[in-house]
Amino acid sequence: MALKILAVEDSLTVRTMIEHVLKDAGFEVHLAEDGQHGLKRLAEVQPDVITTDMNMPVMDGLGFIKGVRADERFKMTPILVISSETAPELKTKARSLGASGWMAKPFHDERLISAVKRLAA
């Protein structure tokens, strides 16, 4: 059975790229366009791995990570941040809230696939 990924990203272009890369690698991909939408989709998708952007309207990546970790069912679900932000303080804050990994945009397809596989293992 394919691993389920919930990709939370406000940019349609990046969301589409993530979807194509991960679907082509055999994952079942579900999408959300901001943190609030991502939290709504959590229960229905029951993802094995979550990817999230940092800068999004409505609810940013930090708020989303906090929301995911507040739900008992998803306390251990790996969260990979995919962001153009590279500030060490932001990475530290994201990790302290429960992010499992960080990848800079633009990302390489193979790196994204291997990071998701590693987090799902």
Side-chain angles (χ1 to χ4, degrees):
M1 197 161 105
L3 288 173
K4 287 189 274 188
I5 312 300
L6 175 60
V8 183
E9 168 63 59
D10 63 316
S11 161
L12 177 60
T13 307
V14 178
R15 205 166 51 238
T16 303
M17 282 172 48
I18 291 170
E19 179 181 29
H20 285 300
V21 168
L22 294 178
K23 273 190 174 168
D24 287 351
F27 297 104
E28 180 183 317
V29 183
H30 300 267
L31 305 171
E33 48 207 44
D34 61 54
Q36 195 172 60
H37 186 216
L39 290 178
K40 283 186 183 137
R41 303 236 32 219
L42 265 181
E44 94 190 42
V45 173
Q46 301 272 319
D48 297 298
V49 176
I50 298 166
T51 69
T52 185
D53 188 14
M54 267 295 121
N55 298 319
M56 299 180 285
V58 188
M59 179 187 286
D60 69 4
L62 294 176
F64 174 68
I65 293 166
K66 213 182 286 185
V68 171
R69 294 301 183 227
D71 187 323
E72 256 330 292
R73 298 168 296 177
F74 305 105
K75 276 224 186 299
M76 303 310 293
T77 304
I79 301 173
L80 175 65
V81 176
I82 303 174
S83 180
S84 52
E85 292 286 336
T86 55
E89 313 78 55
L90 192 57
K91 290 181 182 180
T92 301
K93 178 95 173 126
R95 284 195 199 285
S96 74
L97 291 174
S100 314
W102 193 284
M103 183 170 288
K105 289 180 194 172
F107 57 84
H108 296 286
D109 298 1
E110 291 75 30
R111 279 197 59 220
L112 176 60
I113 293 163
S114 72
V116 168
K117 284 181 177 171
R118 191 172 59 248
L119 288 172

